[in-house]
Amino acid sequence: MVFDHRDFQSGSRTNEIRRERDIMRPEAYTVVYDKDNYKAPIPLELAPEDVFSKREDGIRDNILRYLGEYRLGVKFDEFFYREEKGHLIGETHLASSEPGAIRDVFRRAITSREQKGLSARREVAECLGFQKLEQELLSSPNKSLFIWVSPPGPREDGYGLYSFTFVGQVINDPSRGRRIRVIPYRNIAKLETHRQTLSYFSDRARQFAKDTDFLAEPITFSPNDEIQAPEDILEFMGEQEKFNIDWMERLRGRVGFLIDGYIDLVRSDASEDELIKSRNAIENYTIRIKDEIIAGFGNNTLSNQNTVSARRIFDDLGDKTPPPVSGSCGSTLMEYHENNNKKWDYHTGDCVVCHTKGIDVGPCSICKNCEKEFDAQEMAPQAA
């Protein structure tokens, strides 16, 4: 997640589940992002209380989706993006619950990886890809569909064996306007299987050879007689289980009070160590009740436990590091671009990849030279 796993940012991950490999061990949920994003500057035209409330909702959704993916191993999730017009230059972009362009998350992911001395190869593909996908979805008619595969990255970088396939549709909600519905679908298909599936929708998919090829090329298409909705895509892929996200409310009911305690710590500018301890406790607690949540039995009503009981669990379970986890996505959950048909506008800025200042950059703040270098590297032959 950039998602928001990637996340696309899920629901808010990134809309965001954010996934990143820490220098010491694979960190699937990086707490410093929550702290930094919560304290980020607020545009003057927005009410601070509204922004902080939406940021807290975003943290809540990101943690729930992270737990669903990594600790429950669920197949399905669902979130929505909305169209938003920027206040400064009036451009339309995709946004989640909080005001602001989703693509900014992708830019930050590149910078964050580089600051840790880690490869930003997938993050660059994600950012270039998302800006193209965003442009196509914003100009697509209602009911347009897309499918986007995020295979695992290299095992040596801490990635797992499973993939995410994102399927979605442009919908017109009478009460909320045009939105993008996204279903992240967790699966263990191999690259060849992904190629075969995508080739039904686009001939160019036959050329995909490695993870970034898939990240860089989501497929958009119009509904046809067989496929009218994202659920139809899942069925076409061979999934026999019906789409169901009941796990989300069961999980929310059981761990919501702990997430509220974590948000209290973020709100009070707690140290990173405190946040990591509370995150560990939330994960360990979820692991303990995993079977109950998946099976749908036990006390699944909204918890009435308070902050005091949350802190007690943080103390009891926070010192134990949960079992390492690794997933398919780099830092967010959705990404793509078409190598020879970039239509986005460039402006003068600083490149987040080579750090050249005062150069023409695209919406993800990547200069043309870095785009060409990335394209050349990714077009090089490589066995799947």
Side-chain angles (χ1 to χ4, degrees):
M1 157 181 30
V2 264
F3 213 121
D4 204 264
H5 185 329
R6 26 146 116 183
D7 96 75
F8 271 114
Q9 186 187 20
S10 70
S12 65
R13 66 255 236 242
T14 130
N15 298 185
E16 292 126 60
I17 302 173
R18 281 125 338 172
R19 301 171 181 79
E20 183 151 321
R21 179 176 169 83
D22 187 84
I23 294 174
M24 299 302 294
R25 75 177 182 94
E27 291 284 3
Y29 192 96
T30 309
V31 299
V32 71
Y33 281 136
D34 289 333
K35 187 175 180 178
D36 291 347
N37 289 340
Y38 190 78
K39 299 296 182 181
I42 298 175
L44 294 176
E45 68 273 9
L46 301 177
E49 60 272 17
D50 291 340
V51 173
F52 283 126
S53 176
K54 289 177 179 177
R55 288 178 179 176
E56 291 171 9
D57 288 342
I59 292 173
R60 187 172 290 106
D61 285 346
N62 284 340
I63 294 177
L64 288 169
R65 289 188 161 90
Y66 162 75
L67 294 172
E69 175 189 344
Y70 284 110
R71 297 309 179 186
L72 302 185
V74 297
K75 279 187 179 181
F76 306 116
D77 193 3
E78 180 183 53
F79 57 85
F80 294 85
Y81 284 135
R82 59 186 174 84
E83 296 184 2
E84 178 184 78
K85 186 174 288 292
H87 292 283
L88 296 179
I89 60 177
E91 68 165 1
T92 301
H93 52 248
L94 293 181
S96 58
S97 57
E98 183 179 340
I102 292 296
R103 72 173 80 101
D104 293 342
V105 177
F106 293 85
R107 288 200 290 257
R108 291 195 293 268
I110 296 171
T111 301
S112 176
R113 294 281 292 185
E114 290 183 334
Q115 288 175 344
K116 293 186 179 217
L118 302 173
S119 170
R121 164 180 162 272
R122 282 175 67 100
E123 285 68 26
V124 171
E126 292 170 352
C127 196
L128 290 172
F130 182 81
Q131 65 190 27
K132 181 65 182 298
L133 178 64
E134 176 182 53
Q135 195 166 67
E136 289 205 5
L137 292 178
L138 289 174
S139 62
S140 295
N142 294 335
K143 299 184 179 181
S144 295
L145 295 154
F146 69 87
I147 178 171
W148 192 356
V149 173
S150 176
R155 293 297 303 277
E156 60 269 21
D157 287 343
Y159 293 96
L161 296 174
Y162 63 88
S163 299
F164 269 96
T165 298
F166 299 92
V167 298
Q169 187 168 35
V170 180
I171 61 174
N172 187 27
D173 189 320
S175 61
R176 300 184 181 182
R178 272 170 53 98
R179 297 199 298 165
I180 311 298
R181 182 192 179 203
V182 184
I183 297 177
Y185 167 53
R186 190 177 188 266
N187 57 81
I188 56 172
K190 297 185 180 300
L191 290 187
E192 180 57 34
T193 302
H194 287 311
R195 268 196 296 270
Q196 292 174 359
T197 298
L198 292 181
S199 295
Y200 174 83
F201 301 98
S202 172
D203 288 340
R204 70 177 185 268
R206 302 180 191 279
Q207 307 302 317
F208 296 175
K210 46 190 177 294
D211 59 336
T212 47
D213 293 337
F214 290 88
L215 290 174
E217 292 272 3
I219 308 298
T220 58
F221 59 97
S222 300
N224 55 42
D225 291 341
E226 295 181 356
I227 298 179
Q228 296 284 324
E231 288 86 348
D232 298 328
I233 302 176
L234 297 177
E235 185 176 351
F236 173 83
M237 293 171 60
E239 177 54 50
Q240 298 181 3
E241 185 176 326
K242 295 297 183 183
F243 173 74
N244 187 307
I245 56 172
D246 289 347
W247 62 268
M248 174 67 84
E249 287 310 309
R250 292 198 294 266
L251 179 62
R252 190 191 305 272
R254 297 299 298 274
V255 304
F257 75 105
L258 294 175
I259 297 176
D260 289 341
Y262 174 86
I263 291 174
D264 283 340
L265 292 173
V266 174
R267 191 186 296 120
S268 62
D269 201 22
S271 69
E272 186 173 348
D273 286 342
E274 290 179 280
L275 294 177
I276 290 174
K277 182 176 180 179
S278 62
R279 180 207 62 193
N280 288 349
I282 294 172
E283 292 192 50
N284 287 326
Y285 186 78
T286 302
I287 292 169
R288 177 182 293 180
I289 62 173
K290 172 182 176 180
D291 291 342
E292 297 178 20
I293 295 173
I294 292 175
F297 62 83
N299 178 19
N300 291 318
T301 59
L302 289 176
S303 174
N304 60 2
Q305 300 190 65
N306 56 30
T307 303
V308 174
S309 59
R311 288 176 178 168
R312 185 178 300 118
I313 291 177
F314 292 165
D315 290 337
D316 292 343
L317 301 180
D319 290 330
K320 179 183 177 182
T321 301
V325 293
S326 54
S328 63
C329 300
S331 60
T332 47
L333 281 184
M334 289 250 339
E335 314 96 12
Y336 111 126
H337 87 127
E338 186 174 348
N339 289 327
N340 299 315
N341 190 28
K342 298 184 179 70
K343 302 175 183 176
W344 48 80
D345 295 326
Y346 291 89
H347 62 278
T348 302
D350 302 338
C351 179
V352 297
V353 177
C354 67
H355 308 294
T356 302
K357 298 184 180 297
I359 194 171
D360 284 346
V361 296
C364 275
S365 295
I366 299 175
C367 72
K368 295 179 180 180
N369 288 335
C370 287
E371 287 178 8
K372 291 178 181 178
E373 182 178 347
F374 173 81
D375 290 345
Q377 291 173 352
E378 295 310 305
M379 290 298 290
Q382 177 174 316

